[in-house]
Amino acid sequence: MEKKKITIVGAGNIGSTLALLLARRETADITLIDINEGVAKGKALDIMEASPILGFNSHVVGTGDYKDTANSDVVVITAGFPRKPGMSRDDLLFKNYEVVKSVCEQIKRYSPEAFVIVVTNPLDAMTYTALKVTGFPKERVMGMAGVLDSSRFAYFISEKTGISVENINAFVIGGHGDDMVPLRKFTTIAGMPVTNFLSKEELEEVIERTRFGGGEIVQLLRTGSAFYAPAASILDMVLAILWNKRKILSASVYLDGDVGEYYGASGLCVGVPIVLGKDGVEEIIKLDLSDEEWADWRKSVDSVRKLVEKLPL
Ligand code: APR
């Protein structure tokens, strides 16, 4: 059986961590590409030199040439500038727009059948950029944010309740910004409402921490942003596609038609629950939100819209 091919654009913290995680799964061969060719080549070689010890047979190659990415099944875009302390994700808009645009022109040329997973911030605006520049069907272009935000939410709930992360099913939708929407009603512990375990005040505390989860890491690291949990979150999405899991997870996808109208976000990419499988975004789920959640959702969508309107697209 032919192995799948995954290209990771950007061999920085997230890209290289993802390459190692993916290689260990032996599901695909991996091409790491970076504007700094030496970094891509060096990290790929370093990962391969771990393969005899860790015992994986995937191949990771580094390059600076898009020809080497040809015919990828999945392309993950992590290229761009990360946040510095005091910067919002939105401050990155124009710098990263140019990066994502140039990367997508190459993806379109060399891997016209690929699924594209965008990680570069500001996430929803960059996902929209990828969709427009590649011109790929909307089912094949998605942004990774909701899996990460939901994982942070789940971890914080676990920490607060003392219950295993394995029992926690947490969900965050909306734009990947400070007004993301951690859901109260649809977050459960072993199938029971989270409110059976946490008081309203405790839950609000956890929600607030989730919203600023990325910023908390930026403040601590001082020289970059989070990468272990983001890389794990991308892995979850890649495997959902390659293994045709039809997994329900939160991702930033293009909303239009009936579902766009339902969410009041037509023409935008925003985080919603999707079913992810071999055809990419196979379904978008309509959630029956509470009044409070709808209010938060609308605020979040407004923030995404304001950013997208600034884009020269
Ligand atoms: N083409 C290819 N690679 C590029 C380009 C480009 N045009 N521009 C920058 N890069 C590379 C950099 O050389 C660097 O190796 O992207 C990599 C980014 O890596 P890091 O700075 O370590 O950033 P990382 O923490 O991996 O985050 C990547 O994800 O969370 C978002 O906002 C964050 O946009 C950032 C992205």
Side-chain angles (χ1 to χ4, degrees):
M1 199 170 74
E2 210 180 307
K3 251 195 247 158
K4 298 284 187 185
K5 178 169 175 178
I6 298 176
T7 284
I8 302 170
V9 187
N13 281 335
I14 297 179
S16 58
T17 306
L18 174 64
L20 178 62
L21 291 178
L22 275 168
R24 297 196 70 176
R25 293 301 180 108
E26 296 192 306
T27 305
D29 287 329
I30 297 140
T31 306
L32 258 182
I33 183 165
D34 200 286
I35 201 160
N36 187 340
E37 188 177 351
V39 167
K41 286 189 163 160
K43 291 197 176 176
L45 181 60
D46 194 12
I47 291 172
M48 286 315 294
E49 287 169 0
S51 65
I53 303 166
L54 298 175
F56 58 79
N57 293 279
S58 300
H59 287 95
V60 185
V61 293
T63 184
D65 186 344
Y66 276 90
K67 278 198 199 95
D68 299 327
T69 71
N71 302 317
S72 295
D73 297 286
V74 181
V75 179
V76 179
I77 307 176
T78 76
F81 300 91
R83 276 198 288 172
K84 301 227 166 64
M87 269 176 102
S88 77
R89 292 181 181 91
D90 302 352
D91 291 335
L92 297 171
L93 182 70
F94 294 109
K95 282 174 100 174
N96 283 348
Y97 166 77
E98 291 301 333
V99 172
V100 170
K101 181 167 173 271
S102 69
V103 167
C104 286
E105 283 160 357
Q106 301 299 325
I107 297 173
K108 182 180 179 170
R109 179 163 173 211
Y110 288 102
S111 297
E113 302 301 323
F115 293 96
V116 178
I117 301 178
V118 181
V119 182
T120 307
N121 277 316
L123 194 273
D124 305 280
M126 293 304 104
T127 306
Y128 180 86
T129 301
L131 181 81
K132 294 293 164 188
V133 175
T134 58
F136 288 178
K138 60 182 191 287
E139 292 76 17
R140 281 205 272 128
V141 180
M142 59 210 90
M144 188 292 294
V147 177
L148 170 63
D149 296 328
S150 302
S151 183
R152 285 181 173 145
F153 191 23
Y155 174 66
F156 297 148
I157 291 170
S158 164
E159 210 193 20
K160 196 107 187 145
T161 57
I163 302 289
S164 165
V165 287
E166 289 173 41
N167 283 133
I168 296 166
N169 215 320
F171 229 83
V172 179
I173 60 169
H176 186 51
D178 296 341
D179 45 22
M180 65 181 74
V181 189
L183 298 179
R184 296 158 175 89
K185 195 166 137 188
F186 296 102
T187 292
T188 56
I189 301 185
M192 293 169 268
V194 66
T195 43
N196 287 14
F197 296 83
L198 292 177
S199 68
K200 193 166 170 22
E201 293 70 33
E202 285 171 326
L203 182 59
E204 290 314 310
E205 218 177 281
V206 168
I207 285 176
E208 211 47 21
R209 191 168 176 201
T210 302
R211 288 197 170 118
F212 295 96
E216 186 178 351
I217 304 275
V218 171
Q219 283 300 333
L220 290 166
L221 296 182
R222 308 224 52 96
T223 55
S225 47
F227 54 99
Y228 292 118
S233 307
I234 305 162
L235 177 74
D236 198 32
M237 293 180 71
V238 172
L239 295 184
I241 297 170
L242 294 187
W243 295 354
N244 189 22
K245 287 191 187 180
R246 284 184 51 80
K247 185 166 183 173
I248 294 180
L249 46 78
S250 171
S252 182
V253 298
Y254 188 72
L255 297 171
D256 62 357
D258 179 40
V259 78
E261 224 167 273
Y262 180 81
Y263 280 115
S266 291
L268 295 175
C269 292
V270 195
V272 284
I274 63 164
V275 177
L276 191 59
K278 70 173 184 355
D279 297 323
V281 183
E282 297 186 359
E283 280 174 48
I284 297 174
I285 294 168
K286 290 182 196 163
L287 285 178
D288 176 22
L289 301 176
S290 67
D291 290 347
E292 191 182 7
E293 287 164 346
W294 273 123
D296 288 351
W297 166 265
R298 280 192 288 271
K299 192 169 159 227
S300 188
V301 169
D302 279 349
S303 304
V304 173
R305 184 175 286 115
K306 279 193 192 114
L307 269 195
V308 168
E309 280 169 358
K310 290 184 195 159
L311 290 174
L313 276 167

